[in-house]
Amino acid sequence: MSLREDPREARPFRSAGRYVPARGIYTESARLQRLDWVRSVTGTGLRSMQHTQLDAERLTGNIEGFVGSVEIPVGLAGPLLFCGENVQGEIYAPMATTEGALVSSATRGSLAVSMAGGVSTCAVSQSMTRAPVFAFSRMSAASLFALTISQYFNDLRTVIRQVSKHAELISIEPAVLGRTVHLKFTYTTGDAAGQNMTTACTWHACQWILQQDHLIDSQELDSFIIEGNTSGDKKASFQSMTEGRGIRVTADCVLPEGIIKRVLNTTPDELTAGYHHIASGAVHGGVLGSNANAANIVAAIFTATGQDIACVHESSVGQFILERTPVGVYASMTLPGLAVGTVGGGTHLPAQRELLEVMGCTGKGSAARLAEVIAGFALALDLSTVSAAVSGHFVSAHERLGRNRPTR
Amino acid sequence: MSLREDPREARPFRSAGRYVPARGIYTESARLQRLDWVRSVTGTGLRSMQHTQLDAERLTGNIEGFVGSVEIPVGLAGPLLFCGENVQGEIYAPMATTEGALVSSATRGSLAVSMAGGVSTCAVSQSMTRAPVFAFSRMSAASLFALTISQYFNDLRTVIRQVSKHAELISIEPAVLGRTVHLKFTYTTGDAAGQNMTTACTWHACQWILQQDHLIDSQELDSFIIEGNTSGDKKASFQSMTEGRGIRVTADCVLPEGIIKRVLNTTPDELTAGYHHIASGAVHGGVLGSNANAANIVAAIFTATGQDIACVHESSVGQFILERTPVGVYASMTLPGLAVGTVGGGTHLPAQRELLEVMGCTGKGSAARLAEVIAGFALALDLSTVSAAVSGHFVSAHERLGRNRPTR
Amino acid sequence: MSLREDPREARPFRSAGRYVPARGIYTESARLQRLDWVRSVTGTGLRSMQHTQLDAERLTGNIEGFVGSVEIPVGLAGPLLFCGENVQGEIYAPMATTEGALVSSATRGSLAVSMAGGVSTCAVSQSMTRAPVFAFSRMSAASLFALTISQYFNDLRTVIRQVSKHAELISIEPAVLGRTVHLKFTYTTGDAAGQNMTTACTWHACQWILQQDHLIDSQELDSFIIEGNTSGDKKASFQSMTEGRGIRVTADCVLPEGIIKRVLNTTPDELTAGYHHIASGAVHGGVLGSNANAANIVAAIFTATGQDIACVHESSVGQFILERTPVGVYASMTLPGLAVGTVGGGTHLPAQRELLEVMGCTGKGSAARLAEVIAGFALALDLSTVSAAVSGHFVSAHERLGRNRPTR
Amino acid sequence: MSLREDPREARPFRSAGRYVPARGIYTESARLQRLDWVRSVTGTGLRSMQHTQLDAERLTGNIEGFVGSVEIPVGLAGPLLFCGENVQGEIYAPMATTEGALVSSATRGSLAVSMAGGVSTCAVSQSMTRAPVFAFSRMSAASLFALTISQYFNDLRTVIRQVSKHAELISIEPAVLGRTVHLKFTYTTGDAAGQNMTTACTWHACQWILQQDHLIDSQELDSFIIEGNTSGDKKASFQSMTEGRGIRVTADCVLPEGIIKRVLNTTPDELTAGYHHIASGAVHGGVLGSNANAANIVAAIFTATGQDIACVHESSVGQFILERTPVGVYASMTLPGLAVGTVGGGTHLPAQRELLEVMGCTGKGSAARLAEVIAGFALALDLSTVSAAVSGHFVSAHERLGRNRPTR
C-alpha cells in the first residue's frame, strides 16, 4: 500500500524492529555487547569506539544504550585577566571545538583585553524556571485560579523543600492565555544548572495543587502538563533574553587605541564602524540578541565542562555592545541566560571535571564563576572577530587555521 | 588605581601574561608539553587528559593549543523506520549526550513512529550564506550599488569557481540599510556544511568587486566587512527560520490511536491538547520556532558526528506541528536551517566518522541524508516528550533515568 | 555642490524654510490663517478642510499647527453579547475604518458568538511602563546601582504622588546591560492610557534619584535618558507581549457545530484546519503574536474612540487560539498590551466621546471595559475571517464589499 | 445555566439580537435612520455625529453600517527639504493625531535636517504579497507540489492579468511546512497599496491551480485557504521586516555639530550616546526593528491620507541608525514595509485626497513619493525625539504641549 494513498486510514501495526541489547544495564560488558551488536547490524568496524575512559557504571544518570564515546579536541585559550565579582586573575579557558582559529582568536582578544587592564564581570542573577500549564474548561476558571494561586506560595515552598535540598522556590507567576494558566516557577539551584531538580520540584508542587479542592474545581480542570514552553527550556526565546533563565552575566572592558592597533590590527574607528554594521544587520535579520559569535565560546566551554550541550541553543543568546570613547572603545557582553552548573549533568565526567578545576570552577559559588569566565571570553572573542572582519584578517586566519584554502 | 575612577583615561599597558607554549606546533609532544605546562600553571593533575586517541598532526584545521580531549558518552537510539527521499529503512542514531532519558525517550518515540509505518523525510533545500557589508558615504551611493551589482553575477561565479571546486554561487541579494548594503551570497556546498569555504569564496569575490572602479567609486566607499550578521552565521535568527540556512528539512508521520495508547501511554486527544499548550506557550514566550525539544536531537547528533557544536545555537530552531485526525494524529517537524555536513569540520575525527558510517552518512548526498535522519529523530523525540508530559511520565522518567530524585 | 561628493564636510547652514504661521495660537482664526497659508504655498484648494466641528481652543494638548480635520467613516458592528468582568449584555461597537467588509464580517462573527451564548472577557492586568536609562562609566557602577535602587521604592512613590494623582507606582525593575541600567517603572493609571503622566512621573522620580549622592556617584554617571526602548512605548516588542503593557485582556467563547455551519458557512473541522494553517504560518513568518486580523478591530475602535492611533502598532499584537471540542470549537483571543484609556488623549473630542458613550465606556473602570469590548470583537472578527478564508467566502466578500472586482 | 458548568455541552441557540437597520443601503437617509436607531437603542445623543461631509453613496467599498464620522485633527509639520528619488524640495506633511508635541517635534527635526542640506530618500522596492496554503494528506505530496508549481508561473500571470489591470505577478515562492505549502505570491500594484486586488488575483490564480489535475491530485489535497499568515498582512512580522511588504524605503541625512547644538539643543556625543541606549534597549526588549517613534509619523500620515489605519500595526516597523562622524552625526531611517497607496482604500475621501495633493502625492508614481515623505519625516522626528530625551527637553515639551502637567 502506498504511503500516500490514504494516510488517514489505520493500517496494521508493523512489528517492532530489532532493539539494541542489554537495555538498562550499565556495565562495561553490556557496552561491549551493544557495540558488537551495532557492528553486526550496521556492518561497520567502529574500531575507535572500542576504547573509552568513561566508566559505564557511573553513567546511570547520563545516558542509555551506551556504546562508547566521541572525543572532542580541547585547546587552551587565554590567559584572560579577570577583575570580576566571582573570578579574579588570569584564567586559561579550555575549549572543546573543531573550528580552526577559534582558540587562537579568543587568545588574541584575551591578550588585548588583559593588556588594557582586564575584563570586569558580574553574575547579575541566577534562576531556573519551569512553567506547567493548567487548562480549564473556560477562561473564567483560569483567571480565578491565576488570581488565587499566589496565596499558596508558602505552601508550595514547603512542598518543594521536601523534594530537593538544593532548589529554592523564589517566585510563581501566572500568565492567563485563553482558558489556560501557564504558571512560571522560578528557583535558585545552587551550583547546579538545575533543570532536572526544578522539574521534579515543580511536578510535586503541581501534584499538591491538583489535590486542593478549594483551589481547583476538578470539574473545571481539563488537563495539566508539566511544561508549556514558557520556561524557555531548550528553546531560544525572547522571554529568556529579557527575563533571564539560568545565570544572567555581564562583562565589560575598555580598550585604548594603542592596544587596538598593536594587538587587533585595526583602529577604534574601524572597529566601531564594524560594530555598527553587525548590530544593524542583527536587527535587519531578526537575530535573537546581537553579537558576532558568542555561540562559539558558549559551545566550546559547555562541551569542555560537561554542560548540557543542547542548552547551547538557548544559552548562546548574547548582547555585545561597543561604544567609541575619546581614547579607544568601551565594550560589553551580556549573556542573559546561561544554563550552567558545576555539579550535576556531565560535570562529574573525569576530563570535564578536571577542566572545571583548571578554571577554579569547583565548590560553592563556582557556577557563577564559570558564567563570568564564559562571558569574559565571549567578549574577548567578539572583539577579536569584529577586528578581524574589519581588517580583512578574518578570512586569512580561517584560510590559515581552518580547513579551507583556495584551490588555486 | 581603581578601575572605576577614570576608565576613559589611557593607562599604561599591562605586559602580556604567560602564553601556552609550543604555539603553532601540531605534534603529540607539543600537546604533552602544553599539558604539563597547564598542570604546573594551574596546579591541577589533569590525569584523564593524558591519553587521547586523537592524532595531533591531523588537527591542523580544527584546533589550536591542543591539550587533549573530552569524551562525550554515546548512546544508540532507535531503530526508526525511514521512508525518506535520502534515507530508507531502519536507522540507529548515535547520540552524544549527558542528559539521562534522552536516548530512551527518542527510542520510545521511534518505536511508535516505526510501528505506524515510519517517518517520511525530505531535504527541501540546501544552501550556505555569507553576507558582507559595503558601507558608503551616503544612501544614494548604496542604493546605486544595490541596483547595479546583480549584473555582475556571472563574473562573481567565475571568480568563485577559482576559489573552490565545491562551492557554487546560486544567488546574490542586496539589502539597502541606510548607507550600507548587506550583500547576501547564497551557495550550494556539496556535502560540506560549507561555512569556511563560502567565507573564502565571498571574500575573494568581494576583493574583485572592490577593484571594479565602474562599480564602486572608492571615494564613496567608507568601509567593507566580510559579514554583517545578516547571514545568520552562529546566531539564531528569524531570517534563517524563514529563508533557511544550511539544509531545510521536513519530516512527518501519522500515529493511529492504538499505537499512541500502547506505546506512548496517552490518547490522541490528550496528546493534541498537550501540543496546543506548548504551541501557544511558544508564541507567548517569543520562542524562535515552536517545538518541545528539537535541540536535544540536534545537539546529540551534531556532537556525535563532528559537526560544529556552536551551530547547535542556530540549527536547533524547529517547527513541530501536530493535528488530530479521525484515527489518531498527524505530526511533522520542520528544521529550517541545519548547518550540517559529512565532510569538513570535525567529521574526519575517527569516532565521529565511524558514527556517520553507522547511519550510512558518507559519500555523495550524505549531508542531505544526515539532515533527514536528524529531522526524523527530532520528530520522534518531540512526540515522546509531549506524550510523557501529558501523561505525567516525563517527571518519573527523569527521576528514574536522570540524576535527580526526590530527597524524601 | 553635489550631496554625494563630501558629506562629511561641514557645509554652510541653509536658512530655514517658511514656517506655518500663527505658531502656538489655538484659535479658529489662527486655524483659518494657517489653512489659507497652506493653500497659497501648495496651490491646493483644500475645500473640504474649511469646515470642522473641532474647537481649536480645546486642542491645546492634542495638536500643533492645526489646520482642520479628516473625517474617518464610522460603521456600527454587532450586537455582540458580553458576559465579561467589566461588560455584560449586548454591545454595538463603532468602527472607524475605510476597509470594506470589516464591519460586516465583525457583525457576522458577533452573531455566531452571541447565538452560542456570548463572549466571556477579562481584563487580566493593567499597567503603564516607562524605562529610563542610567549610563555609568563601567559595569561595576551600573550593577551597584541596580542592587541598591530597590531600597528607594517608597521614596520614589512619595515623589511620584506629588506629580500625579492618577498614576501609582507599583514596581521598579532594573536591567543591567553592560554599563547601563534600564530601570523599568510600572504604574497603574486609572482610566487613562497614561503614557504622558507616567513620563512626567518618571522624569521627576529620576531627577530625585540623580540628586541622591549616596545612590549615584556623579563622577561615575555618564548620561541619563528618559527612555531606552525597554518600555515598549510605540514599538511592537516581545517584551510587551510577554509582560504586558497597558491592559492585558482575554476573551473566549465556545461555538457549537450548528452555529458554525449556519452562521459561518463552514464546519468545525474546516475551521480548525484553517486555524492550524494560520497558526503555523505565523511561526514560520516570525509574526509577533498569532492571529488573523486583530489589528483591524484595534485600529477601528482606537480611531473611533480617540485613542493614540500610533499605538495601533504596539497594541495590535494578539494571540488567537482555537481548539476542536467534541461539539464544536473553543476559541480565545488574548491582547497582551492595549494602550487604551477613556480619559486623556483624544477621548474628549466630541464624536469620539459620544462613541465611548455608545459602548458605556465612560466613568470609573471604563478603560478595562473598553479593553474587554475590543478583545471580544477581535475574537468575533477572527472567527469570521478564518471561516471566510476556509470557505472561500473571504474573497467574494471583499469583491462585493471592498473596492476590487475582477476587470473581466 | 451557569456558563461555567458545562461549556462543552451544546446549549439551545440564542436568538439573534436586534440588528442595525437599513443593511446594505448606502444613502444619507439610511445613515440617519441607523443613527436614530442607535440613539434609541443606546440612549445616547450622538449630536456631533449628525453632520458629516462624507457622501454615503461613495462609501460602498469602504464601510458597512455607516452612521457618521469621527474627525481627527490635522496639523501641518515641516517644511522638510527633500533630495529624494521621487520627491524634491520643501514638503509640509499633514499629520492627523491627538498626541500633543508630535507636530512640533517633527517640525523641529525637519528644521535641523533642512538646515543641514535636507534628507535623501529612496523607495528601494515595492511589492504586495498574498500567501495561500495548500494542505495535502502527507508531506510527500506537498513537496512534490512545491517542486512543480514554479513551472506554471507564466500560466498564473496570464490568469492574473484577466483579473486586474493593475496587479502584476512578479514571483511565486513555495514554503513546505509539514504537509502544507504556503505559496507566496508577490505583485507590483502600481500606486495602490493593493491588498484587495492581490487577494482577488491570488484567489483566481488558486482556483486555476485547483483545477489542474496533473498538478494537484484531488485525493491528496485536504484543504485550501487563501491566506496562512506568511504574507504578513495586518501582522507585524520579522519576515516582512527582512523581505519587505509594500514599499521598502530608506532616508538619510547628515547633521553637523552646529545645527545639533542650535536646533536640537544637544551635542553629537550626547545624541550618539542616547542612540546607543535606545538601540541596545530595543534588542533587550525584543523590539521588532529599532527606532524611537516611527509609529507616530506612520500613524499620523496614514490617518491623514486615507490609508488603511490597521496597517499602522505592520507598517510602523522601522530601523533608525545613527553614527558619529568627525563633524557631527550621520542618520538613516529604513521602513521595510509601508503598505501605502495613493489610489484605493480611503484615499478618495475628500479631505484625505486634498491632503495627498498638499504633498504632491497624486498621479503616477505618487505611492513611492508618499513613502519617501513618510520616511523623511520619520527620520526627522526620531532625531528630534532622541535629542529631546537626552537633553531632558522631552518631558518638558510633553508637559507644555501634552495634556499632563504635574499637579503640584
Side-chain angles (χ1 to χ4, degrees), chain C residues 11 52 69 71 101 116 235 292, chain D residues 11 52 64 69 71 116 235 292:
Chain C
R11 67 176 82 97
T52 174
S69 69
E71 291 189 42
K235 258 85 56 183
Chain D
R11 65 175 82 96
T52 174
E64 303 88 48
S69 70
E71 292 189 41
K235 259 85 56 185

Side-chain angles (χ1 to χ4, degrees), chain D residues 23-275:
Chain D
R23 202 173 171 185
I25 307 181
Y26 293 88
T27 61
E28 177 67 5
S29 71
R31 177 181 85 83
L32 292 172
Q33 185 186 346
R34 282 188 284 263
L35 193 55
D36 279 341
W37 181 88
V38 186
R39 285 168 176 145
S40 71
V41 167
T42 63
T44 47
L46 286 170
R47 220 169 308 162
S48 62
M49 302 287 290
Q50 182 70 24
H51 176 75
T52 174
Q53 296 189 59
L54 300 179
D55 178 352
E57 308 195 5
R58 300 199 57 213
L59 295 177
T60 47
N62 290 126
I63 199 154
E64 303 88 48
F66 177 50
V67 292
S69 70
V70 286
E71 292 189 41
I72 315 288
V74 174
L76 221 60
L80 174 58
L81 178 65
F82 281 81
C83 325
E85 214 147 286
N86 294 283
V87 51
Q88 294 88 28
E90 288 186 343
I91 297 289
Y92 297 85
M95 305 205 171
T97 184
T98 56
E99 184 182 357
L102 170 54
V103 169
S104 145
S105 186
T107 298
R108 184 175 80 133
S110 298
L111 173 59
V113 173
S114 300
M115 282 174 71
V119 61
S120 299
T121 53
C122 176
V124 179
S125 64
Q126 180 173 11
S127 65
M128 185 44 60
T129 56
R130 189 48 79 185
V133 183
F134 296 85
F136 297 86
S137 53
R138 284 300 292 270
M139 187 201 70
S140 45
S143 65
L144 188 65
F145 175 72
L147 271 177
T148 321
I149 186 65
S150 305
Q151 303 165 12
Y152 298 87
F153 178 66
N154 285 329
D155 300 282
L156 295 171
R157 279 178 79 108
T158 306
V159 171
I160 282 160
R161 275 203 198 97
Q162 293 178 303
V163 183
S164 167
K165 279 176 297 197
H166 303 292
E168 183 165 5
L169 184 66
I170 52 175
S171 72
I172 52 171
E173 284 172 78
V176 178
L177 209 54
R179 60 182 174 179
T180 65
V181 177
H182 290 253
L183 186 60
K184 190 163 75 159
F185 287 71
T186 303
Y187 299 85
T188 56
T189 59
D191 285 302
Q195 287 107 320
N196 285 346
M197 74 167 78
T198 55
T199 301
C201 289
T202 305
W203 192 78
H204 286 279
C206 291
Q207 294 306 309
W208 183 88
I209 290 172
L210 293 169
Q211 286 156 17
Q212 311 303 309
D213 291 345
H214 49 288
L215 185 50
I216 298 234
D217 178 343
S218 63
Q219 293 203 290
E220 285 179 345
L221 187 78
D222 265 14
S223 64
F224 162 75
I225 175 170
I226 185 66
E227 173 64 52
N229 257 348
T230 61
S231 78
D233 182 35
K234 300 281 163 76
K235 259 85 56 185
S237 80
F238 278 99
Q239 186 177 358
S240 299
M241 184 169 71
T242 304
E243 301 179 2
R245 182 172 192 269
I247 299 181
R248 179 181 171 92
V249 61
T250 297
D252 79 349
C253 70
V254 291
L255 290 185
E257 182 163 13
I259 289 174
I260 292 170
K261 284 184 172 164
R262 238 167 64 189
V263 182
L264 300 177
N265 292 321
T266 183
T267 65
D269 284 336
E270 279 181 358
L271 186 53
T272 304
Y275 165 74

Side-chain angles (χ1 to χ4, degrees), chain B residues 206-287:
Chain B
C206 291
Q207 294 307 309
W208 182 88
I209 291 172
L210 294 169
Q211 287 156 16
Q212 310 305 308
D213 290 346
H214 50 288
L215 185 50
I216 298 233
D217 179 343
S218 62
Q219 293 202 291
E220 284 179 345
L221 187 77
D222 265 13
S223 63
F224 162 74
I225 174 171
I226 185 65
E227 172 65 52
N229 255 348
T230 62
S231 77
D233 183 34
K234 300 283 163 76
K235 259 86 55 186
S237 80
F238 278 99
Q239 185 178 358
S240 298
M241 185 168 72
T242 304
E243 301 179 2
R245 181 171 193 269
I247 299 180
R248 179 180 171 92
V249 61
T250 296
D252 79 350
C253 69
V254 291
L255 290 185
E257 181 163 14
I259 288 174
I260 293 170
K261 284 183 172 166
R262 238 167 63 189
V263 183
L264 300 177
N265 293 320
T266 184
T267 65
D269 285 337
E270 280 181 357
L271 187 53
T272 305
Y275 165 74
H276 271 290
H277 300 325
I278 66 162
S280 298
V283 172
H284 172 78
V287 169

Side-chain angles (χ1 to χ4, degrees), chain C residues 369-392:
Chain C
R369 179 182 173 96
L370 177 59
E372 293 190 9
V373 168
I374 292 171
F377 277 94
L379 176 59
L381 178 65
D382 258 25
L383 283 165
S384 175
T385 301
V386 179
S387 297
V390 293
S391 66

Side-chain angles (χ1 to χ4, degrees), chain C residues 18 25 32 66 75 94 137 143 149 201 265 293 306 323 337 387 403:
Chain C
R18 293 161 301 170
I25 306 182
L32 292 171
F66 178 50
S137 53
S143 65
I149 186 65
C201 289
N265 292 322
N293 54 351
E323 292 172 61
S387 297
R403 300 197 71 78

Side-chain angles (χ1 to χ4, degrees), chain B residues 47 82 85 131 159 172 198 228 248 306 312 316 378 398-399:
Chain B
R47 221 169 306 162
F82 281 81
E85 214 148 284
V159 170
I172 51 172
T198 54
R248 179 180 171 92
V312 167
S316 297
H398 275 81
E399 285 189 351

